Amino acid sequence: MSVDYFQKKIDTINRLKKEKNAIILAHNYVLGEVQDVADFVGDSLELSIKAQNIDEDVIVFCGVQFMAETAKILSPEKTVLHPVKECGCPMADMADAPSLREFMKPYPEAVTVCYVNSTAELKTEVDICCTSANAAEIIALIPKEKDIIFLPDKNLGANVVKDTGREMILWDGFCPTHMRLRPDYIIRKKKEYPHAVVIAHPECRPEVVELADQSLSTGGMLRFARETDAKQIIVATELGIIHRLQKENPDKQFISISEQAVCMTMKMIELDHIIYALENNETEIILDEETIEKAKLPILRMIEMKDFNIW
Ligand code: 13P
Ligand code: SF4
């Protein structure tokens, strides 16, 4: 693709952003050209914190549905546009509120800890949210005698159980992209690059995380890459992160453990969709007031990370 081809689109986006008083937020997994046109790129926690403090009237959210919903919940007075409305997170769709109510029947007193990769509807029924960046710290806030139900990601849950030693009742959800990454992929890459360090996302299965030197959120991976002396880093997560890792660290080599590590929905948003979204005010995230109020509570508890007197 010629530079000119992208530059025209980027110029159009920048003009529309000014006209509409808009800001573009993007997740670390979206296409490289979308990351490059964004005003802020981050992991789920960084994006949630950023969404609370936006001056512009319009937020164009380039990521999956639950991320755009979280931005709306935290900044309900803003117009939040999701350029491709079909772009969801399959893991978030593995848990819904009625199923949680049923699941909780044997544990009526349990504390529910919900990964932000979940629907707004589910968030209205849980006690506290977490991301991959803060899950262990959130668990540490909960009194020892309490049962914990962790949902929807069983892999993140199992990795947190291993790290903290705290037993939890795990929901049977998973990320299809990370689930595909097998331990032998790491073993093979380590043979090929014997001096490389390995970083893995905690959505990977515990057997994969066990083989890594560090288990980190995407934001944590970017910090680690900046700080490490290692020159070769094997990366066990979605391929989109390689763009930013390589851009910020041109002197280091980043090796993805598999070309299959692609989240299809994260890759659906292209520059043309952003132009269309800004020109047509589409697709706006609409949530009713009650959902916003109820779903905001567990997200704010997570961000503020205080010892809440709620359990
Ligand atoms: P991070 O919060 O680490 O960016 O992860 C989000 C996600 O969807 C990973 O699959
Ligand atoms: Fe959901 Fe997995 Fe895609 Fe993240 S990588 S958005 S968890 S499907």
Side-chain angles (χ1 to χ4, degrees):
M1 217 71 78
S2 78
V3 177
D4 211 33
Y5 174 86
F6 278 124
Q7 197 52 53
K8 276 191 193 143
K9 292 179 196 283
I10 293 165
D11 292 345
T12 307
I13 290 171
N14 286 335
R15 174 180 55 77
L16 286 166
K17 253 178 25 183
K18 263 198 203 129
E19 280 172 26
K20 306 274 173 162
N21 191 24
I23 185 170
I24 301 178
L25 306 186
H27 186 262
N28 289 318
Y29 291 160
V30 298
L31 292 174
E33 63 263 29
V34 172
Q35 295 188 32
D36 291 345
V37 86
D39 299 286
F40 182 86
V41 187
D43 69 12
S44 307
L45 183 61
E46 293 161 345
L47 286 162
S48 302
I49 293 166
K50 180 73 185 171
Q52 284 185 297
N53 302 296
I54 299 285
D55 295 326
E56 290 78 358
D57 300 320
V58 177
I59 301 171
V60 180
F61 204 105
C62 300
V64 290
Q65 174 93 10
F66 77 81
M67 296 177 175
E69 283 182 351
T70 303
K72 181 68 186 175
I73 291 164
L74 292 171
S75 277
E77 71 292 355
K78 307 284 176 191
T79 300
V80 179
L81 302 177
H82 192 210
V84 179
K85 70 173 187 322
E86 294 80 10
C87 173
C89 165
M91 167 157 55
D93 296 334
M94 291 179 191
D96 58 59
S99 312
L100 173 60
R101 269 175 246 140
E102 197 54 38
F103 188 81
M104 281 195 71
K105 278 186 182 158
Y107 324 99
E109 300 299 318
V111 174
T112 42
V113 179
C114 185
Y115 192 24
V116 282
N117 296 37
S118 50
T119 62
E121 183 222 11
L122 187 66
K123 289 184 178 91
T124 65
E125 304 235 355
V126 300
D127 293 311
I128 191 162
C129 285
C130 73
T131 75
S132 57
N134 60 17
E137 291 165 82
I138 297 290
I139 298 303
L141 294 175
I142 302 166
K144 297 267 179 293
E145 67 280 8
K146 283 282 180 188
D147 282 338
I148 300 176
I149 291 176
F150 188 91
L151 73 164
D153 188 0
K154 66 176 172 190
N155 287 327
L156 175 60
N159 286 317
V160 173
V161 169
K162 256 189 163 175
D163 289 348
T164 61
R166 183 78 188 262
E167 281 309 317
M168 300 198 288
I169 302 147
L170 305 179
W171 191 266
D172 195 16
F174 59 89
C175 163
T177 305
H178 288 86
M179 199 65 161
R180 291 167 86 182
L181 308 180
R182 297 197 314 255
D184 53 297
Y185 292 10
I186 294 199
I187 293 164
R188 226 181 301 150
K189 287 289 178 195
K190 272 175 128 174
K191 270 197 191 132
E192 225 181 301
Y193 300 92
H195 302 297
V197 293
V198 182
I199 54 179
H201 197 279
E203 283 179 21
C204 293
R205 307 175 210 200
E207 314 89 86
V208 169
V209 170
E210 217 166 86
L211 294 172
D213 297 294
Q214 299 274 337
S215 169
L216 299 161
S217 72
T218 60
M221 288 181 175
L222 284 147
R223 274 187 295 282
F224 174 83
R226 257 173 250 138
E227 288 159 15
T228 182
D229 291 330
K231 291 288 177 205
Q232 289 183 320
I233 301 159
I234 297 168
V235 183
T237 192
E238 211 275 346
L239 272 175
I241 186 110
I242 303 286
H243 174 78
R244 200 171 153 203
L245 284 168
Q246 202 61 76
K247 190 171 156 184
E248 292 183 6
N249 306 278
D251 57 325
K252 295 175 183 167
Q253 185 186 6
F254 297 94
I255 305 125
S256 172
I257 70 158
S258 169
E259 291 301 312
Q260 290 178 33
V262 178
C263 173
M264 297 311 282
T265 49
M266 281 283 189
K267 298 290 180 279
M268 283 165 78
I269 300 171
E270 299 176 18
L271 296 183
D272 285 327
H273 296 117
I274 300 176
I275 294 172
Y276 187 86
L278 281 164
E279 279 176 341
N280 299 285
N281 240 23
E282 282 192 21
T283 297
E284 191 175 346
I285 298 282
I286 306 280
L287 294 170
D288 62 71
E289 237 173 82
E290 194 186 344
T291 302
I292 290 178
E293 278 318 302
K294 286 187 175 167
K296 188 182 277 183
L297 218 62
I299 304 172
L300 289 182
R301 283 179 184 144
M302 167 186 82
I303 292 175
E304 291 166 14
M305 192 101 52
K306 287 197 287 250
D307 228 338
F308 294 94
N309 208 9
I310 52 161
W311 27 65

